[in-house]
Amino acid sequence: MLVVAVLLLFHMWKEAHTTVITEDEVELTHLPASFDGATIIFISDTHARLLKTKEVEQLRGKADWVFIGGDMAEEGSSWSIVRQNVRLLSSVAPTYAVYGNHDKKAGEAYLSRILADSSVQLLQDKAIYLQKGTEHVRLVGLDYRSKQATELLQESKEDCSTIVLVHDPLDVLRLDLDAADLILSGHTHGGQIVFPVIGPVLLSKAYRVVKSGWFSLKRSDEDTRSGKMLVSRGYGTNHLPFRLCCPAEMHLITLRIPIVNSPDQ
């Protein structure tokens, strides 16, 4: 029995330190033609786990931007890990980040300096435009427990494709999402410890419907967009340094214009 327990713990530890690079293509309403084929590295919830240079290096040259979905830091953990992580990511492509709940606890002031020194742009309730040639896509970064989310989303123009970067998926699901084409989020860790049949044992009931993966934002036929949301399982761990049936992941996302809008159709 002891041997089985030790083997299970070793498997869970190994799963927590192995990373799946998940590759997806996603069609965005109103995506400009020049953005068709543009790519994003999305990573969330690194916490106290040090990024492996080899994992990031294999993505070099494959991405136009890097998005960090919060929880880059953890209270009581080494700031040197945070610094190494964000510097490595920002060396790959222009990098944008939002805060998560653990970033707030660890210390916003110090973290903001690390981000600035590492050339990572913090989007704390801020919108910017990603450019390709003369065309653009709106990127909205929402602060954890944002009080300006509704206003920022309402400012999205109907003819402008909009990507929302946010830590907690429930922060945006309560809002009018007909202005968002793509939402990238984390926070849930996919449940982290997931038992067959039983499901995630560390995840509160409210998050189980958005545990991880892709979700449609289209709530009715009246919605003008067919928005999508990705909830990442995240890169690091929280509370326990283990994972079960829920491997850590990073994402390589390719943006596509809808097939019906393709010039080849």
Side-chain angles (χ1 to χ4, degrees):
M1 194 70 179
L2 178 59
V3 172
V4 173
V6 170
L7 288 174
L8 177 60
L9 285 174
F10 175 74
H11 171 78
M12 294 169 70
W13 179 89
K14 185 177 180 181
E15 189 170 329
H17 291 80
T18 302
T19 309
V20 175
I21 297 178
T22 304
E23 298 188 29
D24 288 296
E25 291 193 353
V26 58
E27 296 181 355
L28 301 190
T29 306
H30 303 309
L31 187 72
S34 61
F35 279 77
D36 188 48
T39 51
I40 297 165
I41 293 172
F42 175 55
I43 185 169
S44 186
D45 301 275
T46 49
H47 287 271
R49 184 183 175 193
L50 185 65
L51 276 164
K52 296 178 181 177
T53 303
K54 184 178 180 180
E55 290 177 346
V56 177
E57 285 294 333
Q58 67 180 300
L59 297 173
R60 189 177 296 278
K62 295 183 179 181
D64 294 281
W65 309 282
V66 176
F67 296 166
I68 305 174
D71 278 3
M72 299 162 275
E74 188 169 280
E75 190 175 24
S77 294
S78 172
W79 285 109
S80 65
I81 292 176
V82 179
R83 187 177 294 105
Q84 290 181 66
N85 284 347
V86 296
R87 283 182 177 174
L88 180 58
L89 291 169
S90 65
S91 73
V92 174
T95 303
Y96 302 88
V98 293
Y99 282 146
N101 53 305
H102 284 275
D103 298 323
K104 300 276 188 177
K105 294 177 182 177
E108 294 178 61
Y110 197 72
L111 179 54
S112 67
R113 288 199 295 272
I114 290 177
L115 295 176
D117 291 343
S118 304
S119 301
V120 176
Q121 185 169 350
L122 175 64
L123 299 180
Q124 195 171 14
D125 284 335
K126 183 178 180 181
I128 57 104
Y129 287 94
L130 304 173
Q131 296 284 147
K132 275 196 169 292
T134 59
E135 297 179 303
H136 63 265
V137 166
R138 192 168 189 254
L139 173 62
V140 179
L142 298 179
D143 196 20
Y144 180 71
R145 296 293 185 259
S146 170
K147 294 181 173 60
Q148 301 178 47
T150 299
E151 179 183 347
L152 283 165
L153 288 178
Q154 286 177 344
E155 290 173 358
S156 295
K157 297 179 181 179
E158 289 185 5
D159 60 348
C160 181
S161 197
T162 299
I163 300 173
V164 178
L165 182 61
V166 64
H167 179 64
D168 186 339
L170 295 190
D171 276 358
V172 288
L173 287 182
R174 304 181 184 96
L175 306 175
D176 179 6
L177 298 175
D178 199 27
D181 295 294
L182 175 63
I183 295 174
L184 301 175
S185 63
H187 187 61
T188 67
H189 292 243
Q192 193 168 308
I193 306 294
V194 181
F195 287 100
V197 182
I198 298 174
V201 295
L202 301 178
L203 194 63
S204 66
K205 186 177 180 180
Y207 287 96
R208 293 194 176 197
V209 293
V210 288
K211 177 171 64 73
S212 64
W214 287 94
F215 302 89
S216 174
L217 300 175
K218 194 172 181 66
R219 293 169 172 169
S220 71
D221 292 337
E222 296 178 359
D223 288 348
T224 59
R225 308 193 188 209
S226 300
K228 302 171 182 68
M229 179 174 73
L230 171 64
V231 181
S232 175
R233 296 192 298 265
Y235 186 83
T237 56
N238 189 22
H239 301 303
L240 297 172
F242 302 113
R243 284 180 175 267
L244 180 65
C245 300
C246 185
E249 64 181 345
M250 298 171 60
H251 306 266
L252 183 62
I253 302 167
T254 301
L255 306 181
R256 293 295 184 190
I257 59 175
I259 293 176
V260 293
N261 295 348
S262 171
D264 297 328
Q265 297 300 310

